[in-house]
Amino acid sequence: MYVTGRSTDAAVTYPRVGGSVEQTAREVTAAGGAGVAMVCDHTWGQPLSVWDDMFAGGVRAHYAATVLAVPLLRPGALVVTVSFFPGSYLSGEDQVAYSVAKAADDRMIAVMAEQLRPRRVTAVGLYPGLVRTEGVLRAAEFLDLSRSESPEFVGRAVVALAGGPGVARHTGRCLVAAELAAEYGFTDVDGARPVSARAHFRDRAGGG
């Protein structure tokens, strides 16, 4: 049995309640097992630059692209910003910079929608589910991909919105690709219809 944690016999001090990883490993061995102590920090430490990266590569990029595109947009055009559930269903488990950036994306769409309304341009946020990107597939052994989506699925959601009637009724809203599939009748490239993750994130955040 591997015993992991930050407290170690080598440290000057460590939490006395529960002891060090080495002490716990020794107790496992004494009880008839095979305790192996592994000192590690399970907390997720990140540099402050992560905040700037999330806003520069995410929120600012979405804003700049839209601002530059607006003069080219004709009445009936559609602006889509890809966001994600942590922007709406925040919990203490979420990564701070990422979640705040997604919340900013959602707020940006709400305000843009009102400012673009006189031009008859629709602006929405779009939430994919777990997408089988290259990065996700590299970690496939640690993930449940049974309800995942292909990268093309969110594209099909955009096509359905852009080509469907009455898209203006969605302006300012954050929509879920899987829910749009049920509404517009499209599927993923393999014929599957992924399930919306809305309930999962709402429950995780303690929402009603």
Side-chain angles (χ1 to χ4, degrees):
M1 173 183 288
Y2 287 92
V3 180
T4 63
R6 291 173 292 175
S7 57
T8 173
D9 287 344
V12 176
T13 61
Y14 58 83
R16 294 294 175 181
V17 178
S20 66
V21 290
E22 294 92 347
Q23 177 186 339
T24 305
R26 289 192 293 269
E27 292 178 359
V28 169
T29 301
V36 180
M38 299 289 290
V39 178
C40 65
D41 189 344
H42 289 282
T43 59
W44 189 10
Q46 293 185 320
L48 289 175
S49 60
V50 169
W51 178 276
D52 297 324
D53 293 340
M54 289 293 177
F55 277 81
V59 185
R60 187 183 185 282
H62 293 166
Y63 174 77
T66 305
V67 168
L68 294 173
V70 164
L72 306 176
L73 300 180
R74 299 178 179 180
L78 174 66
V79 172
V80 178
T81 293
V82 176
S83 187
F84 198 57
F85 291 96
S88 297
Y89 300 114
L90 300 176
S91 75
E93 299 175 4
D94 293 323
Q95 199 271 345
V96 174
Y98 177 78
S99 293
V100 175
K102 292 306 178 186
D105 280 334
D106 294 351
R107 178 58 182 164
M108 180 177 65
I109 279 297
V111 177
M112 280 183 174
E114 291 306 310
Q115 296 185 2
L116 292 174
R117 193 184 297 274
R119 293 175 175 262
R120 293 172 50 206
V121 171
T122 298
V124 301
L126 185 59
Y127 294 176
L130 177 61
V131 181
R132 294 188 297 273
T133 61
E134 292 87 347
V136 166
L137 291 178
R138 281 199 295 269
E141 62 182 301
F142 306 107
L143 300 170
D144 178 7
L145 298 179
S146 61
R147 295 186 175 182
S148 62
E149 304 168 2
S150 73
E152 292 88 349
F153 184 66
V154 71
R156 291 187 171 191
V158 173
V159 170
L161 278 172
V167 67
R169 73 185 187 279
H170 293 303
T171 197
R173 295 176 56 201
C174 291
L175 308 171
V176 180
E179 295 171 7
L180 290 174
E183 178 181 347
Y184 287 91
F186 63 89
T187 64
D188 208 338
V189 291
D190 59 358
R193 183 166 288 167
V195 177
S196 172
R198 184 189 297 275
H200 166 75
F201 285 99
R202 183 176 58 228
D203 294 343
R204 197 185 74 174

